[in-house]
């Protein structure tokens, strides 16, 4: 039902302001294709993981970056055609970064007509005080933000917390855990919070970052740059991101296949004894789909070529 509804006729593409050049028919066509693809991918993720249910109150966390802006924008569009009723509430944490433009989000959200709350808490000062200069700040910053997010979600009665992580974030986290943590773990599209009190969803789980960059160019969201962790060029995440982008250029389809692999795990052909009972494997005389195919030729599907529409301009 989600997918059928979101494939309804395209919504119009709004013009950022009076000075924006009028798009050509080709640009308008490509813009509509991009918007339709984003709605489709988000709708598929919502349906696949049952992210949104009847009468949910979704607290959409806005950072001022392209991903969270796109998330809110797409959810607003989907809500109009959704087979279930749900409410959207925008939340932003003002972490008191020096020079933070505090007026941007209130103005944007008021004009959009979306109910919102902005909470001020000096997590920036805490992180700068605790973390030595040159060290990665993301872990502590993330923990501090998470605590505030959960508290506010409780206060407003949110049933779901929506974050703007996309497909590339999920892949980067997978490799970060494999390379530096020694475990196969990524960002789940849906999970219960640490203490079990909240459900967190990531509706952009199927969306490529390049599509979000193109959507930003189209919608001209008022971006608020991150002057804390986002400016740390030496982060391991930035290195992994660079690696994946190089793979995508040199080996088209490789990144798509890795993402597909995250959705098709075979525990009996890995080494985690918690996921598969290797100790009790016995010869039963019956054929098993979990049987040993180690000596059979591997069958690989052709790589899926990325279908990113690049906007002219």
């Amino acid at each position: 039902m989600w997918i059928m509804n979101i494939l309804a006729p395209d919504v119009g593409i709004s013009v950022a302001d009076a000075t924006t050049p009028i798009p050509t028919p080709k640009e308008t066509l490509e813009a509509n294709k991009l918007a339709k693809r984003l709605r489709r991918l988000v709708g598929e993720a919502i349906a696949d993981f049952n992210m949104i249910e009847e009468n949910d109150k979704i607290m959409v966390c806005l950072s001022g970056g392209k991903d969270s802006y796109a998330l809110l924008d797409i959810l607003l569009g989907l809500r109009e055609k959704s087979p279930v009723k749900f409410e959207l509430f925008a939340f932003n944490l003002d972490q008191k970064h020096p020079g933070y433009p505090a007026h941007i989000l209130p103005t944007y959200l008021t004009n959009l007509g979306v109910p919102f709350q902005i909470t001020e808490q000096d997590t920036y000062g805490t992180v700068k005080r605790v973390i030595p200069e040159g060290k990665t700040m993301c872990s502590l910053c993330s923990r501090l933000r998470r605590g505030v997010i959960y508290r506010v979600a409780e206060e407003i009665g949110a049933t779901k917390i929506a974050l703007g992580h996309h497909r590339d974030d999920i892949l980067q986290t997978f490799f970060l855990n494999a390379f530096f943590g020694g475990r196969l773990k990524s960002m789940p599209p849906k999970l219960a919070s640490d203490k079990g009190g909240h459900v967190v969803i990531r509706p952009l789980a199927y969306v490529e970052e390049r599509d979000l960059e193109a959507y930003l160019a189209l919608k001209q969201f008022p971006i608020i740059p991150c002057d804390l962790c986002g400016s740390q060029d030496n982060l391991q995440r930035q290195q992994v991101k660079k690696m994946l982008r190089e793979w995508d250029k040199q080996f088209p389809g490789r990144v798509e296949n890795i993402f597909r692999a995250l959705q098709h795990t075979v525990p009996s052909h890995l080494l985690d004894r918690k996921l598969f009972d290797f100790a009790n494997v016995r010869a039963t005389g019956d054929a098993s789909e979990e049987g040993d195919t180690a000596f059979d030729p591997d069958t690989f599907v052709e790589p899926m070529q990325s279908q990113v529409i690049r906007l002219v301009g």
Side-chain angles (χ1 to χ4, degrees):
M1 287 292 293
W2 268 99
I3 307 305
M4 291 172 62
N5 279 271
I6 65 172
L7 292 181
D10 292 326
V11 296
I13 301 301
S14 61
V15 178
D17 55 57
T19 63
T20 302
I22 297 176
T24 66
K26 181 180 179 181
E27 289 172 340
T28 300
L29 176 62
E30 291 184 341
N32 281 325
K33 285 182 179 179
L34 172 63
K36 185 174 182 178
R37 181 166 69 256
L38 290 174
R39 292 197 306 273
R40 175 177 59 80
L41 291 171
V42 172
E44 286 177 356
I46 291 172
D48 286 351
F49 300 101
N50 193 30
M51 292 186 185
I52 297 178
E53 300 171 276
E54 187 75 26
N55 296 321
D56 264 340
K57 183 173 184 177
I58 313 295
M59 187 174 90
V60 182
C61 296
L62 290 182
S63 66
K66 70 180 188 313
D67 305 330
S68 56
Y69 272 126
L71 173 62
L72 178 61
D73 189 78
I74 295 167
L75 288 178
L76 284 169
L78 289 178
R79 187 177 60 174
E80 300 303 316
K81 300 180 175 66
S82 169
V84 300
K85 294 181 180 178
F86 63 92
E87 181 181 349
L88 293 173
F89 185 94
F91 169 73
N92 170 257
L93 173 60
D94 180 351
Q95 299 179 269
K96 311 311 294 181
H97 296 192
Y100 180 79
H103 66 285
I104 289 182
L105 279 173
T107 301
Y108 176 80
L109 293 169
T110 298
N111 291 338
L112 205 58
V114 175
F116 67 92
Q117 176 175 323
I118 295 178
T119 297
E120 296 183 2
Q121 186 162 323
D122 189 12
T123 58
Y124 176 89
T126 301
V127 170
K128 295 293 285 185
R129 185 177 67 254
V130 173
I131 303 296
E133 192 69 30
K135 297 294 183 180
T136 301
M137 304 174 184
C138 289
S139 180
L140 176 59
C141 184
S142 178
R143 289 200 302 272
L144 293 173
R145 285 201 316 269
R146 190 160 59 238
V148 178
I149 288 171
Y150 291 162
R151 173 174 60 78
V152 173
E154 183 88 20
E155 292 171 355
I156 69 169
T159 56
K160 303 279 174 60
I161 299 169
L163 303 180
H165 298 115
H166 46 70
R167 188 207 70 168
D168 298 58
D169 290 322
I170 292 172
L171 284 168
Q172 291 162 21
T173 302
F174 171 76
F175 281 105
L176 284 168
N177 276 300
F179 291 165
F180 306 107
R183 55 188 175 181
L184 295 182
K185 177 183 176 182
S186 187
M187 288 179 172
K190 181 180 179 182
L191 76 156
S193 60
D194 298 342
K195 296 182 179 179
H198 304 88
V199 174
V200 178
I201 60 175
R202 295 184 169 99
L204 299 180
Y206 291 164
V207 176
E208 294 185 43
E209 184 173 22
R210 289 181 297 182
D211 273 350
L212 294 171
E213 291 167 348
Y215 201 56
L216 169 62
L218 170 68
K219 303 291 285 189
Q220 294 294 300
F221 298 121
I223 296 298
I224 301 175
C226 177
D227 297 320
L228 185 59
C229 57
S231 60
Q232 292 182 281
D233 295 331
N234 62 330
L235 288 180
Q236 293 168 337
R237 181 173 292 275
Q238 295 298 328
Q239 297 169 10
V240 171
K241 178 177 181 177
K242 181 180 178 182
M243 177 193 75
L244 291 173
R245 292 215 165 180
E246 289 176 351
W247 280 359
D248 202 34
K249 291 178 181 178
Q250 297 177 27
F251 312 102
R254 172 181 288 186
V255 174
E256 283 79 3
N257 275 338
I258 295 171
F259 187 71
R260 190 188 301 118
L262 294 180
Q263 304 169 68
H264 297 88
T265 57
V266 185
S268 65
H269 286 57
L270 297 173
L271 281 77
D272 193 334
R273 291 172 292 165
K274 296 186 295 295
L275 295 180
F276 188 80
D277 187 10
F278 293 98
N280 289 310
V281 170
R282 300 286 186 271
T284 64
D286 297 322
S288 171
E289 293 183 359
E290 301 292 342
D292 186 5
T293 60
F295 302 105
D296 296 339
D298 289 318
T299 301
F300 298 118
V301 298
E302 289 295 321
M304 292 179 61
Q305 297 294 325
S306 179
Q307 297 181 2
V308 178
I309 294 179
R310 303 190 183 282
L311 299 178
V312 179

